[in-house]
């Protein structure tokens, strides 16, 4: 049976997810990409996974650097998500004007996110048009605020946003 890509996207879009930006660096060049394919893998050792499209500029940088940070976005950071999902000059030249700092690995950590995990790549697996990167968490931290959510191909503000689950 052949699965229609649009039908696949429509069904998978019914799984509400948080929104994160995965960041890395190549020398002094900070890079990031919006993802919703992120989850914890293991408590001992602490590991997470992210799925990165192989055609992304971030993919090659992440392969070479072997480091990444997962920045969990707040509900008021939708514009950051949109910027890191696009191909604007602001994304590539100005890091979407996001303030960041460095913790354990050298990957950029957003100031003001809901939370973050700073990781070192321990494995990479083919996953269709993406690569699944598993990272050992070297440092992490909580933030404050409500998370930015994505549901049915749009940012979701809760039950009263007009779209029934």
């Amino acid at each position: 049976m052949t699965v229609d890509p649009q039908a696949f996207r429509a069904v998978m879009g019914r799984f509400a997810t948080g929104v994160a930006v995965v960041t890395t660096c190549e020398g002094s060049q900070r890079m990031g990409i919006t993802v919703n394919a992120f989850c914890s893998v293991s408590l001992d050792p602490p590991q997470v996974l992210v799925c990165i499209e192989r055609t992304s500029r971030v993919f090659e940088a992440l392969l070479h650097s072997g480091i990444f940070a997962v920045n969990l976005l707040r509900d008021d950071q939708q514009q950051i998500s949109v910027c890191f999902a696009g191909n604007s000059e602001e994304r590539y030249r100005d890091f979407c004007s996001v303030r960041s700092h460095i913790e354990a690995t050298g990957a950029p950590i957003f100031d003001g996110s809901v939370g973050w995990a700073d990781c070192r790549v321990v494995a990479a697996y083919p996953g269709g048009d993406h690569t699944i990167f598993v990272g050992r968490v070297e440092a992490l931290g909580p933030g404050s605020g409500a998370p930015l959510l994505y549901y049915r191909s749009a940012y979701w503000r809760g039950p009263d946003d007009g779209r029934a689950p």
Side-chain angles (χ1 to χ4, degrees), residues 4 7 10 12 16 20 28 44 55 78 93 96 118 138:
D4 175 64
M12 294 300 106
S28 63
D44 187 18
T55 60
Q78 180 176 330
R93 188 185 58 224
C96 296
D118 192 3
E138 302 287 331

Side-chain angles (χ1 to χ4, degrees), residues 1 6 16 20 27 35 64-65 68 86 88 93 97 104 106 114 116 129 145:
M1 176 168 97
Q6 290 177 338
V35 302
H64 291 122
S65 70
F68 66 91
S88 69
R93 188 185 58 224
S97 301
V114 169
W116 54 270
D129 56 2

